[in-house]
Amino acid sequence: MKKMINLIETDNKGIQAAESYRKIASNIEVANIDGNIKTIMITSTLAGEGKTTSISNVASVMTEKDKKVLLLDFDLRKPTLHKKFNLSNQMGLTDLLLKKDDYKKYIHSVYPNLHVITSGFLPANPSKIINSIAIKELLKKLSINYDYIFIDAPPVMIVSDPITISTYTDAVIFTIAYAQTDKDLAKKSVEALKNVNANIIGVIFNKTPPIKGNKYYYKYY
Ligand SMILES: Nc1ncnc2c1ncn2[C@@H]1O[C@H](COP(=O)(O)OP(=O)(O)OP(=O)(O)O)[C@@H](O)[C@H]1O
Ligand SMILES: [Mg+2]
């Protein structure tokens, strides 16, 4: 319990942020009323809009609901999840997929119900891994053992990875950073996701000024 609150406070200076993350987790639960959402990818328009921060905190507070959660770093261009949780990235997702190894060897248990798999080594051609059957099979296996698998991904306007990943994940959360994200580019990004029938279950409005109340808003389409 302590660990996840620390994570939130470090990044957002306050309990208010924790409450906003809890609301996001609750809204995910509502979106998942029929129980068909296991894998949830986060993306955004461009770099630095708060994807990794948001998904880490949402995954953390989700464990308060007695859910078993896995956080997967699938940003194979600029992975940072290991830094967020202070973990070694010596062995991660890419190693596990290439060695066809047991995923359990690659789990970091940062909290009893919060497991993390870091990115692993960065391949020269990430698209090969992103398009592989191996990753889809791994996600299927993980879905049996976890209530939620949260997937950190790169931004849509930089690489096509998140578009591809969205085609085999159950849901997508889109992050928009206040006074940072370009409206037209954000629209283009959402269109690109919708074109492949991504199931966008919500948008996180991030970095909003505290004066307006909560730092985070979560909206349904
Ligand atoms: N709600 C917030 N309020 C203030 N700063 C924030 C907030 N969320 C994230 N940040 C800061 O913004 C920066 C980028 O955050 P983060 O790494 O989560 O973004 P990202 O979208 O994952 O970036 P990248 O595309 O590079 O992976 C970090 O310095 C982070 O601490
Ligand atoms: Mg990131």
Side-chain angles (χ1 to χ4, degrees):
M1 189 74 71
K2 209 161 182 295
K3 188 159 209 157
M4 50 188 146
I5 298 302
N6 280 347
L7 180 67
I8 290 162
E9 285 185 346
T10 306
D11 287 324
N12 300 288
K13 303 179 190 74
I15 285 297
Q16 201 183 29
E19 275 316 305
S20 303
Y21 290 125
R22 285 192 187 102
K23 260 183 218 155
I24 296 167
S26 296
N27 286 336
I28 292 171
E29 286 277 88
V30 174
N32 193 25
I33 188 88
D34 291 330
N36 44 13
I37 297 176
K38 282 266 183 184
T39 49
I40 303 175
M41 179 193 81
I42 192 158
T43 189
S44 71
T45 309
L46 290 169
E49 292 168 321
K51 296 177 288 298
T52 306
T53 306
S54 302
I55 202 76
S56 301
N57 284 301
V58 171
S60 298
V61 296
M62 195 56 109
T63 65
E64 293 177 344
K65 296 178 182 292
D66 277 336
K67 301 291 174 192
K68 201 173 169 201
V69 176
L70 179 86
L71 198 44
L72 184 66
D73 199 342
F74 208 10
D75 183 341
L76 300 185
R77 320 266 171 171
K78 206 175 67 181
T80 55
L81 214 49
H82 58 285
K83 290 183 193 152
K84 198 111 212 148
F85 288 91
N86 238 333
L87 302 169
S88 152
N89 192 21
Q90 278 291 98
M91 282 185 15
L93 177 64
T94 50
D95 307 278
L96 130 70
L97 291 174
L98 278 175
K99 288 183 194 155
K100 302 184 185 3
D101 219 346
D102 180 0
Y103 77 82
K104 290 190 177 127
K105 286 195 217 160
Y106 297 77
I107 298 277
H108 297 269
S109 183
V110 298
Y111 188 71
N113 275 338
L114 180 61
H115 292 178
V116 174
I117 297 181
T118 63
S119 69
F121 82 96
L122 296 191
N125 186 359
S127 326
K128 283 271 177 216
I129 291 179
I130 282 148
N131 284 295
S132 69
I133 292 169
I135 180 68
K136 291 169 200 160
E137 284 182 350
L138 174 68
L139 290 176
K140 266 187 214 150
K141 259 187 233 162
L142 294 172
S143 296
I144 297 166
N145 286 296
Y146 291 92
D147 293 307
Y148 286 105
I149 296 126
F150 288 103
I151 302 169
D152 195 12
V156 173
M157 284 291 139
I158 309 262
V159 281
S160 62
D161 305 9
I163 301 292
T164 308
I165 300 166
S166 78
T167 63
Y168 53 81
T169 48
D170 302 324
V172 173
I173 293 175
F174 193 80
T175 308
I176 289 177
Y178 179 88
Q180 179 179 341
T181 305
D182 178 273
K183 205 170 141 192
D184 291 333
L185 285 183
K187 270 191 191 162
K188 272 189 194 162
S189 305
V190 169
E191 284 302 311
L193 287 162
K194 283 187 170 173
N195 279 344
V196 295
N197 294 322
N199 178 23
I200 305 174
I201 57 165
V203 176
I204 294 177
F205 290 101
N206 196 24
K207 304 192 189 186
T208 55
I211 197 149
K212 286 196 173 171
N214 285 345
K215 281 189 174 180
Y216 289 79
Y217 301 91
Y218 187 86
K219 190 177 129 191
Y220 287 100
Y221 270 96

